[in-house]
Amino acid sequence: MERERERRERERERGIKRERERERERERERERERERERGRGREREKGLRERKQRDSKSRERGERDRERGREGEKERERERERERERERERERERERERERERERETMPLGI
């Protein structure tokens, strides 16, 4: 009877030890899960930071490209204006040439 009681007591203690060990294992697993979540959070933050930097660089590049486009458009407009001025000058020269031609036609030949 005494041995039976001791056996039950040892069984109970082993059960308690097993339960404590299972609880410690569950706690370790919860901690590992928290670490994984923290890691994911850091990865997510890192990803967001990187995306924000890429977007910022892309936006800056777009602004620079638009500015270059405006500068290029201004330069093209200046070139068109220079071409129009050259065309007006050529037209004035042709007009002067026609005027000289008319003067030669109206000049008396004997002079």
Side-chain angles (χ1 to χ4, degrees), residues 21-37:
E21 186 53 40
R22 280 194 291 262
E23 184 54 40
R24 279 194 293 269
E25 185 54 41
R26 283 191 292 267
E27 185 53 40
R28 283 192 292 267
E29 184 54 39
R30 283 192 292 269
E31 185 56 35
R32 283 192 292 268
E33 183 59 31
R34 282 192 292 271
E35 278 300 313
R36 280 194 292 274
E37 282 302 314

Side-chain angles (χ1 to χ4, degrees), residues 35-76:
E35 278 300 313
R36 280 194 292 274
E37 282 302 314
R38 276 195 287 270
R40 286 188 202 118
R42 283 191 290 273
E43 285 298 313
R44 204 170 18 254
E45 287 172 14
K46 182 180 175 191
L48 290 172
R49 246 187 336 271
E50 289 172 351
R51 189 172 327 125
K52 194 174 176 183
Q53 287 174 338
R54 280 194 307 272
D55 290 351
S56 177
K57 286 178 184 173
S58 178
R59 195 170 26 260
E60 288 170 9
R61 203 168 22 255
E63 289 168 3
R64 281 195 305 272
D65 289 350
R66 281 190 294 282
E67 186 58 35
R68 277 192 215 109
R70 284 191 290 272
E71 290 169 4
E73 184 56 39
K74 289 175 188 173
E75 183 53 40
R76 288 189 291 279

